[in-house]
Amino acid sequence: MNKTDINNMISRDGFPNSERIYIKGKMEGVNVAMRQIKLSPTRNSDDTLEENAPLTVYDTSGPFTDPNIKIDLNKGIDKIRQPWIESRKNEIIQTQMYFAKRGIITPEMEYVAIRENQGLSEEQLQKGEKLVTPEFVRDEVASGRAIIPANIKHPESEPMIIGKNFLTKINANIGNSPVDSSIEKEVDKSVWAFRWGADTIMDLSTGDNIHQTREWILRNSPVPVGTVPLYQALEKTKGKSEDLSWEVFRETLIEQAEQGVDYFTIHAGLLWRHIRHTINRTTGIVSRGGAIMAKWCMYHHQESFLYTHFDEICDILAQYDIAISLGDALRPGSIADANDRAQFAELETLGELCQRAWDKNVQVMIEGPGHVPMHKIKENMELQEKLCHNAPFYTLGPITTDIAPGYDHITSAIGGAMIGWLGTAMLCYVTPKEHLGLPNKDDVKTGVITYKIAAHASDLAKGIVGAQVRDNAMSKARFEFRWKDQFCISLDPETAMKYHDETLPDEGSKQSHFCSMCGEHFCSMKASRDVRDMAAKKEKKRQEFIEAGGEVYN
Amino acid sequence: MNKTDINNMISRDGFPNSERIYIKGKMEGVNVAMRQIKLSPTRNSDDTLEENAPLTVYDTSGPFTDPNIKIDLNKGIDKIRQPWIESRKNEIIQTQMYFAKRGIITPEMEYVAIRENQGLSEEQLQKGEKLVTPEFVRDEVASGRAIIPANIKHPESEPMIIGKNFLTKINANIGNSPVDSSIEKEVDKSVWAFRWGADTIMDLSTGDNIHQTREWILRNSPVPVGTVPLYQALEKTKGKSEDLSWEVFRETLIEQAEQGVDYFTIHAGLLWRHIRHTINRTTGIVSRGGAIMAKWCMYHHQESFLYTHFDEICDILAQYDIAISLGDALRPGSIADANDRAQFAELETLGELCQRAWDKNVQVMIEGPGHVPMHKIKENMELQEKLCHNAPFYTLGPITTDIAPGYDHITSAIGGAMIGWLGTAMLCYVTPKEHLGLPNKDDVKTGVITYKIAAHASDLAKGIVGAQVRDNAMSKARFEFRWKDQFCISLDPETAMKYHDETLPDEGSKQSHFCSMCGEHFCSMKASRDVRDMAAKKEKKRQEFIEAGGEVYN
């Protein structure tokens, strides 16, 4: 594929009735992108029209949905953070946590504060709600409760924050495998993933061209990019886990750090002595990184080099402000293995490593399961908070039953929504292909939308500021039969409209007071509006009666 | 469409590697159908083979998946309950609750006890678990905690039970609307729905040929069939709600009772005085039956005839053993309206009506919401149990966010799984077309599978006897790379295999120790098996060392 082709391949379509707007901050260069959805007016019973204010929503799609910005994938997108990074280049340590601890509010912090507020004004808040301030962001980052993954070598990224007191974020895994895909397909998938709402992406490529695929993705990604460096290290040893070493791993870390990876999943919490707890499990070790390191420990009769060299790893990460995502190598891979000794033994080690990383000003999140039935989810969250000192939890689902391959986006959205509500800060998506094969572009979209649902359901339950504004706008549009607005407000306007139009495709049906589900006579919303009109008339008569001197009981 | 065509249209395919088996009870004619899935042997590291016992699972597909049974849709399926019904024909009251209260175990009760146990033996139970006995079933039915919907005019149905101490059930809504569909399409959808796991179906037809559609469905349905009689009554008044009357409604009830409908949704809890609580709601009244009755009350300035004639309704139902599903006319239709005064005022009335129905030996369930954010779900379940004396709760979802039309099977599976865990006995499915149009056959399947997931996740969390057996069989097959077994055990074998084969279609890949997601070097399951083999070898050496007189520390 040549360079022109890939530029034509990726989606640059905007969203319907939407505009990418920018809200300026107080600090130099802070210009926060959001999506504003224009709504049509309400038609009252007396046929008068009433304006509906536009709805502003969080936007992860980057410059790709802004028609005013020219993009050439070969050059990469604008480096919006470059001036901020330049201005700090003489600091010994580069991390947001370092600045936060010293009381410094960075432009990145102001950016995320504005971004989290989604264009809400003070007046729109419900009682007791407060807008997010840059100082609040700083405090959360300083305490380790939240992270802003932002490698100084990835100036293209639009700052975002991961923490339990902010909107629940989602990650989309992309990346080729030795069996399938190509660089172009994976770049296309990444643009597609953040278009639909991925807050971060992880490039988990394991096949050929790992370095080049990652370079293309990073230079064109407005969202933070994570990786599992061990995968590339294993490519360097030609798939032989026993040939891995600290030296190969260190070299890989630096290679990826220089490219701009924003967070690394590192399975440093898997200790040699933990392995025996997995021997009688139903599904053993299901983390790829974990299985590789367990093999290494068993072969060499040695403690994992990820653990023994942990401080050196942190020193490298601090130079770039790469966050560490402490991988849960021993997460359960089946309902049978949930919350077992292996899993919680490792979690304890992750808590120890979390503190050590913080001591070196490295931002940390903790990865979580996996396969967990609903009644065991709460224990995961509570133990994680306790053992890992409130560092953000970043979970894969969890999947709540093993029996539905092909639908694991759903089995895991159930668990994801629940653990998000309980305090998890970021949910790693699961696609319909989980356990079966490499996801294609459709699967990526399904996974992202499903996880936006789980994350948003969490936000409503957590009571995150302004979370319900979009639901309210949708419900109002629904009750008023503003069909086009319903499509535009929804997470996936294309699909909503396509489904509606399957049975009622004509333009007139987008104005009509019913759909094909119930038809006209049986539309409850229509009948309900009639009831409301009848009640209003009755109330009017009652008022007239009172004004005429009548007396009313009730 | 002629009669031959429809017989050819419906699916009679069995499930892969599966057989429909029958387990005999002690009582005459009790012969309980289940699905038995044959599994392939485990290949050990030393290449020896080890048998895996077949897996028996609950089966709602009826005779349609038994190749030994000839079916002609024009004649209907076998009337397996006819002799039992005949033998009781001289009783004044026909309901299962009546017999249960008198200490009588009916063949229906023995049938459901065997069915709930899914072919499990005492030996397969975990500590503290007990098999379901006919006496336990009787006691649950007598107390009103569970129902066996079984109209004496629907002898084709295979008995099933709905109650919090049994497997969580799911209902699939089918039925045409004036805008779309036909008799044949709806019969085809109904067979399709119980094939994939619908425990009951509701025929919500509102267009032409309501009577005939229902007749075809009933004569060919092995699962209980529910309806909302008000819909047909409204057809009789040509869509004019003000022309509805107790007489028209009563006539419709009897017409449907005679056909064999197993449960009726009746919105008798919506009182005239409740309506004013809905006036300031975001989405008013979203129940079709509720909106119709509210209009009637407002027009006539009268209390709902469903409430004023409630005892007469119960008298009719008792004669046929039709269960009443007390409709929640005021369920919230948006996150904004969840758990409001209108909703809970009606719930209180439902509790009163529940007791009145029980006094007449009518089996009862209570319908529940709707749209509810996660943190408000628990209150729904607790209030329902308290106000409705532990009658089974039958909920529509609930949908946990309003912003994802096109994906409301998922927004609601999250709420459904949670409320099922908390004690809801049956979940009414929601399809991807909810809020947008009438579901087609694909939507019905997606809705059913999604709700099987939610119900099963609930069962695992509730600790229903034997629920985890299928998960364990799946996980073992997964760890042993028995790909075909994974497909066969899954809720949707076709989709699982299709997704796997998208990237690795050749037969050899169904034996291989990896899939296209990670490829060979990165398959954690493969690496984990290597670790296990290494650990086993080490342990063997350790034992040899000890036997040779060596001393071991650790």
Side-chain angles (χ1 to χ4, degrees), chain B residues 151-219:
Chain B
N151 186 332
I152 56 171
K153 302 278 182 165
H154 183 210
E156 297 89 349
S157 76
E158 298 173 352
M160 55 79 70
I161 193 160
I162 302 167
K164 66 187 257 192
N165 294 318
F166 302 95
L167 291 160
T168 306
K169 303 303 187 294
I170 68 161
N171 170 69
N173 290 336
I174 53 151
N176 60 343
S177 86
V179 181
D180 196 29
S181 204
S182 65
I183 300 181
E184 293 78 10
K185 272 194 198 168
E186 295 309 316
V187 172
D188 184 32
K189 270 189 211 168
S190 70
V191 175
W192 191 238
F194 47 71
R195 171 191 171 76
W196 291 109
D199 293 287
T200 75
I201 53 175
M202 287 193 80
D203 175 14
L204 302 184
S205 291
T206 53
D208 296 332
N209 306 314
I210 289 193
H211 184 98
Q212 206 189 338
T213 304
R214 194 166 51 231
E215 186 63 27
W216 277 63
I217 288 172
L218 275 162
R219 295 292 73 79

Side-chain angles (χ1 to χ4, degrees), chain A residues 177 402 407 433 475 492 502, chain B residues 402 407 433 475 492 502 516:
Chain A
S177 85
D402 302 335
Y407 297 82
K433 289 282 167 61
S475 297
D492 179 0
E502 238 175 64
Chain B
D402 303 334
Y407 298 81
K433 289 281 167 63
S475 296
D492 180 0
E502 225 173 83
S516 73

Side-chain angles (χ1 to χ4, degrees), chain A residues 109-128:
Chain A
M109 295 173 199
E110 193 198 18
Y111 193 106
V112 301
I114 295 170
R115 195 173 193 185
E116 289 286 318
N117 289 328
Q118 299 179 76
L120 283 176
S121 64
E122 293 277 359
E123 294 72 42
Q124 288 175 284
L125 298 183
Q126 311 224 2
K127 210 182 141 192

Side-chain angles (χ1 to χ4, degrees), chain A residues 27-41:
Chain A
M27 296 173 82
E28 180 77 28
V30 173
N31 209 15
V32 185
M34 299 188 191
R35 173 154 73 101
Q36 198 170 66
I37 307 168
K38 277 181 278 301
L39 302 177
S40 50

Side-chain angles (χ1 to χ4, degrees), chain B residues 68-80:
Chain B
N68 301 318
I69 297 176
K70 206 167 168 280
I71 295 176
D72 179 353
L73 291 176
N74 298 293
K75 292 183 184 156
I77 58 175
D78 285 350
K79 298 178 175 7
I80 63 164

